Amino acid sequence: MVGADGILPLPWLEGPVAQALSTQRAHALLIHGPKGVGQWELTLTLAQAWLCEAAGGANQRKPCGVCASCKLVQAHSHPDLLVLLPEALREPLGWSSQDDDGASEEKAGKRKPSKDIRVDEIRQAISFAQTTSARGHGKVVVIHPAERMNGVSANALLKTLEEPPGDAKLLLSCSAPDALLPTIRSRCQAVSLGLPDPAVALPWLAEHAVAQPEVMLAATGGQPQDVLEWVNEGIDAKLWVGLPRQMARGEVGTLAAWPLPRVVDMLQKLCHDVMRVAAGSAPRYFPLSSLPGAPSLESLTPWSRELGRIARQAEHPWNAGLLVESLTLQARESLAHRP
Ligand SMILES: [Zn+2]
C-alpha cells in the first residue's frame, strides 16, 4: 500500500508523520488511536524514516522512499528492523516474509495462528536491539499491536523500554492503551493518531472505487480503512442506508451472515442516531433520510442499555443466530414506540 506520491502509504498520515518526527524525543514511542485510521502504516513509516539514509537525516518530515534503506524496509528485509506481529496478523498485513517457525505447522492445519505476541518473540527482539546496527543508522523494533503482549511478554520488555540499548528505538502501536500495563505506557512517549480529515479521506475512498464514500465514512465513524474492509465484505452504502428500516420491520436478512460484534456495533449506531434525532440533533452514522420516525427517548433508553450490555460480552460464544434474531426483534419493538 503506497500512496500517490510513492512515499506515504496513506495520504492523511503526512501531518502525523511530520509531527511525530519533529516532537520525538524518547527512545520508545507508543502510537495509539482508533482502529481503521492507519496505525500500522504510521508505525512502519516512522521506522522507515528513522532508518532512512537520505541527506537531511533527522530533520526530514518523512522517509525519502528511494534510498537503499527505504527500499529494504519496503522489501521487508532491512537488517536493522525487527517487526513483531501476532501470527494471525502477518498475512492480513502482508508481512509474512519473516522467519516464522509456526508457519509450516499452521499451513498443515495443526493449529490456529496465534493472536498473541509471545515472550520468546519479545526476548528475540531484546537481543536484536542489543546487537550493533548493520547499516549504521540505528536499529528499530516495531511491536504491533502492543496490547497483544500478555503480562509475561510485557514484563520481559520493561527493562529494555526503560533503557534501550545503544542506538535502538522501539515503536509500539496500540488501539486499546488501557489494555497495556501502566508501566509500559509510562515508559513510552505517546503519539496519538486521530480520525483523518474527511477532505483527505473521501477522495482516497473514491480512488479505491467506494460508491457514496461520505455515507460509508460516516457509517464507520470516520475510519477509512474500515470502509474498505466493509466493502470487501459486501457492506456498501446502499445496504447500510437500508438497515434502519429493515430493523424497524424486524427483518434479519443479511445480518444473519455478519459477525456478532458487527451486528451489535451497527445496532448501537442506529440506537445512538435515533436518540440524537429524538433529542433534536443530527444523526452521526446514518443519513437522516434513512431513519424511521423518531421513537420516544423513554423507549430507547432500555434498548441502549441492553445493547451496551451485549457489546461488552460480544466476544462470548453466544448462539449467534438466535441472538441476532432476538436483537432484531428488540430493534423492531424499540423503533416502533412513538412519542
Ligand atoms: Zn530513504
Side-chain angles (χ1 to χ4, degrees), residues 19 31 42 63 84 92 110 139 151 172 180 234 272 279 289 300 338:
Q19 167 86 9
I31 291 139
L42 174 61
L84 291 191
K110 280 184 190 153
K139 304 191 73 122
L172 281 65
L180 288 180
H272 172 95
S289 59
L300 294 170
R338 289 291 178 279

Side-chain angles (χ1 to χ4, degrees), residues 52-53 64-65 67 70:
C52 178
E53 293 164 10
C64 79
C67 73
C70 282

Side-chain angles (χ1 to χ4, degrees), residues 22-38:
S22 64
T23 57
Q24 174 260 324
R25 50 184 195 280
H27 285 279
L29 300 191
L30 175 63
I31 291 139
H32 65 93
K35 68 181 279 290
V37 301

